[in-house]
Amino acid sequence: MASIHGNKTQSQRQRALEQFKRNKIKILVATDVASRGLDIDDVTHVINYDLPESKEDYIHRIGRTGRINKKGIALTFVD
């Protein structure tokens, strides 16, 4: 497991992303610092701990799964 958040350096975030893309780690925990611009194939699950500020951000987040005719699961926990 690895994480991406604002307290990590850019090189630490890039290293975590590369490990995730290469299946060296199976779980990537990320804050909104990683909400856009990530190109990662074969994401099977997106789990939202909270809702993003806008519906567009939510759609973008859950759209990480099921890309290019693949299936995925998106879960959101609400309080």
Side-chain angles (χ1 to χ4, degrees):
M1 180 173 85
S3 62
I4 298 175
H5 52 78
N7 291 333
K8 294 219 173 186
T9 65
Q10 183 64 27
S11 63
Q12 289 172 318
R13 291 192 295 258
Q14 286 176 313
R15 188 172 326 118
L17 279 173
E18 287 303 316
Q19 289 175 335
F20 187 66
K21 284 181 178 182
R22 293 184 180 145
N23 287 324
K24 294 188 185 273
I25 56 172
K26 297 289 183 187
I27 298 172
L28 181 64
V29 177
T31 62
D32 276 348
V33 74
S35 65
R36 292 194 177 262
L38 299 181
D39 184 22
I40 303 170
D41 293 332
D42 300 324
V43 173
T44 59
H45 293 74
V46 170
I47 302 171
N48 293 292
Y49 180 74
D50 59 3
L51 291 171
E53 294 288 321
S54 72
K55 65 181 177 185
E56 290 82 11
D57 288 342
Y58 177 74
I59 291 167
H60 187 78
R61 261 190 210 176
I62 65 171
R64 301 254 175 239
T65 66
R67 296 170 101 184
I68 312 170
N69 298 322
K70 295 180 182 175
K71 293 187 179 190
I73 296 172
L75 301 170
T76 301
F77 296 102
V78 291
D79 189 3

